[in-house]
């Protein structure tokens, strides 16, 4: 009789422990809700926003000439862990060049970043449609240019797929590549993947195969998580280190703090899940949007980029010969911040200069 009581107590204790463990595990992998934006009790709204068809808001910032008189209208798509305030082609290009050419640039916070509402139903297609609706509500005309940097380059691929008829020209600056795009050769993709830091390999693996664990993986303390999220100096090339003072100049703490203010899941983690998840299309199946040379598509890449493998960019450019590929020797991921590079990017896109 006595042993039966002990067994019963042990069973109940195990049940309580197991139930508690499940509750802890559920809370650990479940991302918290985003912080609220706007009055009366939410985060402050400091820049204009448009209201999209589905009720969400996109926050934006304008640079350069007035859109009413500008000859060229560009939508800039920011990268990972960034926001609308860091539109490098606007902030680092020569003001005289922007004025002489008549360039208007609008940068916006992608969903969940800065002051733009999250999109719990975000897809690759919705990213392109957000850009199209932003252009329409701002009155940018039937065609406009799109420039995307880093993870923003992935969003730019979606424009080439879903809204090519709206594009006057496109530039992808050091665009992030998804290692699981179907038409990337397995040997080439695996080689590039294996050269990433081990913790980044795990981060990408989880975002692709176990996206419901992305929040937990990037917030747990048992194993090292993403070097990029941690802003590790190990991801910087020699040129990147030299450009750090330029990159960080003008990044006021208040503006920098806006990037992740709604929560890391809604900004960084959802970005990882979409960027490295299973894509709805393969970029290498995209057809030339400008068969009559009425526009152009450019990829700019540094050959010493430690974040985005240059080998994969070279292969993509070879498979899509209509892309004008620019590879900069000795350049890292921050090369657009080098003197004169943003000018060169704009001249190539708008004037066709090589």
């Amino acid at each position: 009789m006595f042993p039966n009581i002990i067994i019963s107590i042990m069973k109940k204790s195990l049940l309580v422990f197991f139930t508690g463990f499940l509750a802890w595990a559920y809370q650990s992998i479940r991302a918290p809700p985003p912080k609220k934006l706007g009055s009366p009790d939410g985060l402050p709204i400091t820049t204009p926003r448009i209201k999209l068809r589905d009720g969400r808001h996109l926050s934006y910032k304008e640079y350069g000439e007035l859109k009413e008189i500008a000859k060229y209208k560009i939508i800039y798509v920011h990268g990972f862990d960034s926001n609308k305030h860091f539109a490098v082609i606007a902030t680092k290009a020569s003001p005289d060049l922007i004025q002489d050419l008549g360039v208007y640039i609008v940068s916006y916070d992608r969903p969940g970043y800065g002051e733009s509402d999250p999109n719990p139903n975000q897809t690759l297609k919705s990213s392109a449609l957000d850009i199209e609706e932003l252009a329409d509500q701002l009155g940018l005309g039937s065609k406009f240019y799109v420039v995307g940097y880093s993870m923003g380059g992935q969003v730019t691929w979606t424009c080439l797929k879903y809204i090519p008829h709206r594009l006057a020209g496109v530039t992808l600056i050091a665009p992030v590549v998804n290692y699981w795009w179907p038409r990337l050769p397995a040997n080439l993709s695996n080689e590039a993947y294996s050269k990433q830091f081990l913790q980044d390999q795990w981060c990408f693996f989880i975002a692709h195969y176990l996206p419901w664990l992305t929040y937990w993986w990037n917030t747990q303390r048992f194993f090292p998580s993403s070097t990029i999220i941690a802003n590790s100096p190990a991801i910087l090339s020699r040129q990147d280190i030299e450009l750090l003072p330029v990159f960080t100049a003008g990044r006021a703490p208040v503006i920098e703090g806006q990037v992740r203010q709604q929560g890391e899941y809604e900004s960084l983690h959802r970005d990882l899940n979409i960027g490295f998840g299973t894509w709805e299309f393969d970029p290498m199946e995209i057809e030339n949007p400008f068969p009559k040379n009425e526009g152009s598509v450019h990829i700019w890449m540094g050959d010493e980029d430690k974040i985005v493998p240059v080998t994969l960019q070279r292969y993509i450019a070879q498979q899509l010969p209509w892309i004008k590929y620019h590879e900069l020797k000795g350049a890292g991921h921050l090369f657009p911040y080098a003197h004169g590079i943003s000018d060169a990017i704009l001249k190539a896109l708008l004037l066709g200069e090589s």
Side-chain angles (χ1 to χ4, degrees):
M1 177 178 175
F2 187 69
N4 289 339
I5 294 176
I6 294 177
I7 291 172
S8 177
I9 292 173
M10 290 180 64
K11 286 182 177 179
K12 290 180 180 178
S13 297
L14 285 172
L15 179 62
V16 170
F17 172 79
F18 186 65
T19 302
F21 174 78
L22 288 179
W24 170 83
Y26 176 73
Q27 289 299 323
S28 296
I29 65 175
R30 184 169 178 246
K35 293 183 179 179
K36 182 181 176 183
L37 287 166
S39 59
D41 55 352
L43 298 165
I45 304 298
T46 62
T47 53
R49 304 201 303 172
I50 63 164
K51 187 173 183 179
L52 303 171
R53 297 185 192 94
D54 62 6
R56 291 182 295 116
H57 296 83
L58 281 187
S59 178
Y60 65 93
K61 182 176 180 179
E62 297 170 297
Y63 301 85
E65 296 296 287
L66 295 173
K67 61 177 178 284
E68 291 80 10
I69 61 173
K71 181 178 179 180
Y72 302 104
K73 301 176 179 68
I74 300 174
I75 295 179
Y76 177 83
V77 191
H78 69 75
F80 186 76
D81 202 10
S82 187
N83 68 9
K84 61 181 176 289
H85 293 288
F86 309 124
V88 61
I89 61 163
T91 60
K92 297 306 174 186
S94 163
D96 289 340
L97 176 70
I98 288 179
Q99 184 178 31
D100 291 345
L101 294 182
V103 182
Y104 163 90
I105 300 169
V106 59
S107 178
Y108 71 102
D109 289 334
R110 294 194 283 115
Y113 279 101
E115 297 172 357
S116 287
D117 296 332
N119 183 1
N121 302 312
Q122 187 174 350
T123 63
L124 297 168
K125 186 173 184 178
S126 73
S127 298
L129 297 182
D130 282 355
I131 288 177
E132 182 177 39
E133 192 166 355
L134 175 66
D136 288 341
Q137 291 207 33
L138 293 182
L140 302 190
S142 60
K143 288 185 179 290
F144 47 86
Y145 294 84
V146 176
V147 175
Y149 179 32
S150 192
M151 193 69 90
Q154 285 198 338
V155 177
T156 306
W157 279 117
T158 73
C159 294
L160 287 165
K161 169 64 177 178
Y162 293 113
I163 57 169
H165 57 289
R166 301 298 307 274
L167 303 175
V170 169
T171 292
L172 302 93
I173 305 172
V176 172
V177 176
N178 184 324
Y179 299 96
W180 291 272
W181 284 343
R183 293 186 63 181
L184 283 176
N187 61 330
L188 191 65
S189 184
N190 291 337
E191 180 185 11
Y193 183 79
S194 67
K195 290 181 179 179
Q196 300 300 301
F197 290 99
L198 185 59
Q199 58 261 50
D200 292 330
Q201 292 181 39
W202 275 106
C203 179
F204 302 150
F205 178 91
I206 288 169
H208 185 78
Y209 292 107
L210 303 167
W212 49 275
L213 270 182
T214 299
Y215 172 76
W216 175 80
W217 179 259
N218 287 290
T219 55
Q220 52 78 34
R221 296 294 179 263
F222 302 107
F223 308 100
S225 57
S226 168
T227 60
I228 302 172
I229 291 178
N231 293 318
S232 169
I235 63 176
L236 300 177
S237 73
R238 290 173 295 176
Q239 187 202 55
D240 289 339
I241 294 172
E242 295 172 358
L243 290 173
L244 265 182
V246 182
F247 177 74
T248 57
R251 288 180 173 247
V254 173
I255 295 176
E256 187 76 31
Q258 288 180 357
V259 174
R260 307 183 187 184
Q261 67 179 356
Q262 296 183 65
E264 290 192 8
Y265 178 78
E266 292 298 345
S267 51
L268 309 186
H269 304 162
R270 196 185 294 279
D271 226 0
L272 290 171
N273 284 348
I274 293 175
F276 294 99
T278 300
W279 276 40
E280 305 152 15
F281 67 95
D282 188 329
M284 282 176 287
E285 295 177 347
I286 294 176
E287 296 181 355
N288 184 0
F290 308 114
K292 299 180 181 179
N293 294 321
E294 66 273 33
S296 57
V297 178
H298 302 256
I299 290 180
W300 288 76
M301 191 67 200
D303 71 347
E304 293 187 10
D305 193 322
K306 297 176 70 174
I307 297 175
V308 181
V310 69
T311 53
L312 299 183
Q313 303 288 9
R314 290 170 181 163
Y315 180 80
I316 292 169
Q318 290 169 0
Q319 297 304 301
L320 302 177
W322 44 267
I323 289 179
K324 300 181 186 301
Y325 182 63
H326 313 258
E327 186 173 305
L328 305 181
K329 187 173 179 58
H333 198 68
L334 301 183
F335 72 84
Y337 289 86
H339 178 72
I341 296 298
S342 286
D343 282 13
I345 289 172
L346 289 175
K347 288 178 180 179
L349 176 64
L350 304 178
L351 303 178
E353 295 186 7
S354 58

